[in-house]
Amino acid sequence: IIASNVLHHTPDPGAALLHLASQLKPHGILRMVTYPKWSRIWMRAAARFFAAHGITQATPSLKRAVFNAVRELRAKHPVRVTIETHPERHTDTGLVDAFLHAWETPLSPLEWKCAAQAAGLELIREDQDEDSRSGFLAKIWPKQTATHCPTAPWERLEILDHLLELCANPVLCLKKTGTPQAGDLSILKFEKIPENENLELKQNVKWLDQKLGAETTTLLVSATRIHRDQNGLSLGEYDVNDLRKF
């Protein structure tokens, strides 16, 4: 079964995955492409920017309206960079597909893990760009920290997502190794996304601090800054100590 950029547009992605898994034969493969959750922070900020300017799918001359509005922002503002560098920015249809969804409910990697386990599925391969795969975390993991780099792919992907480093949509191949559970996955307590990018940045740092410790988080964020320059799109371009001030 192939589910390419589908599940995150359903009201309950976990339930949708459970249904697809029920259609697989034993040892069958489900290949899904899904949005990252936390790494799409600036895509969501761009959508809120459009909404504040009254820009919708129905706006006449959509592309012109978008770029006229974007010029209000400074040249290196993360929202402006996100829009002006997006590969689908050249057409009205592309802009709608990228920023003006009627519904977007992405799960984080650990939330997908929970849903996959309930569906009797096991992660067997990642096919996205190498710098957005779980193995990328080991490449940037600071050697001077006493905290060991996690080895489980789902956990590595979760850390990368909170670092805003899942720059490409995860492409995950899942194998049916068990029996899907009956029932409604909506009982699972998934973490809510704040409706504000500043709060979201702070929430990401808080999660990393709780998971890895403040020292490892600081070193890891610094490592992402060295690895690539993203004009404010990566967590590595922010002062984590400022973000720790709630």
Side-chain angles (χ1 to χ4, degrees):
I1 295 176
I2 296 175
S4 182
N5 291 308
V6 172
L7 297 181
H8 50 253
H9 292 309
T10 64
D12 189 341
L17 183 69
L18 188 68
H19 172 73
L20 292 179
S22 71
Q23 306 304 306
L24 279 175
K25 293 181 178 180
H27 308 295
I29 304 296
L30 186 150
R31 184 181 188 269
M32 73 174 191
V33 184
T34 181
Y35 287 164
K37 184 172 184 176
W38 305 108
S39 298
R40 279 181 64 83
I41 176 175
W42 297 114
M43 299 289 287
R44 288 188 288 272
R48 289 193 291 269
F49 175 79
F50 292 156
H53 284 75
I55 296 173
T56 70
Q57 295 185 20
T59 298
S61 303
L62 177 60
K63 180 181 175 182
R64 181 182 302 171
V66 164
F67 284 94
N68 284 341
V70 164
R71 291 189 186 99
E72 298 176 8
L73 302 172
R74 58 183 171 82
K76 291 190 176 183
H77 190 286
V79 169
R80 181 167 180 174
V81 172
T82 297
I83 297 167
E84 291 185 338
T85 60
H86 198 279
E88 294 191 85
R89 68 190 182 278
H90 300 293
T91 66
D92 288 4
T93 302
L95 288 167
V96 169
D97 183 56
F99 301 104
L100 297 171
H101 296 302
W103 198 290
E104 181 180 324
T105 53
L107 301 186
S108 75
L110 287 181
E111 290 167 350
W112 276 122
K113 176 188 177 182
C114 184
Q117 288 178 335
L121 298 171
E122 177 187 349
L123 177 63
I124 60 170
R125 192 172 73 244
E126 302 168 52
D127 285 342
Q128 66 269 29
D129 292 345
E130 286 192 14
D131 283 359
S132 289
R133 295 182 191 176
S134 57
F136 178 65
L137 184 65
K139 294 181 181 178
I140 63 171
W141 193 267
K143 293 183 174 63
Q144 63 268 46
T145 178
T147 306
H148 296 296
C149 180
T151 58
W154 286 118
E155 188 172 353
R156 286 184 173 189
L157 287 170
E158 183 79 13
I159 293 169
L160 287 171
D161 200 10
H162 279 280
L163 286 167
L164 313 185
E165 290 293 326
L166 290 187
C167 303
N169 290 349
V171 183
L172 309 173
C173 295
L174 306 171
K175 184 177 182 179
K176 187 172 183 178
T177 57
T179 303
Q181 298 176 4
D184 184 3
L185 286 182
S186 62
I187 61 173
L188 300 175
K189 301 300 182 182
F190 294 152
E191 192 172 6
K192 186 177 179 180
I193 299 173
E195 291 295 321
N196 176 288
E197 55 267 25
N198 291 322
L199 290 176
E200 195 170 336
L201 288 167
K202 292 175 181 291
Q203 185 166 311
N204 280 305
V205 172
K206 182 180 180 180
W207 185 92
L208 289 164
D209 281 349
Q210 292 174 340
K211 179 68 178 178
L212 307 174
E215 179 184 7
T216 299
T217 296
T218 301
L219 291 170
L220 196 53
V221 167
S222 297
T224 66
R225 184 185 305 122
I226 294 169
H227 186 78
R228 50 185 164 204
D229 179 12
Q230 293 190 319
N231 292 317
L233 304 185
S234 170
L235 193 60
E237 297 183 43
Y238 295 86
D239 186 326
V240 290
N241 289 321
D242 284 344
L243 294 175
R244 288 181 175 123
K245 299 173 183 176
F246 285 89

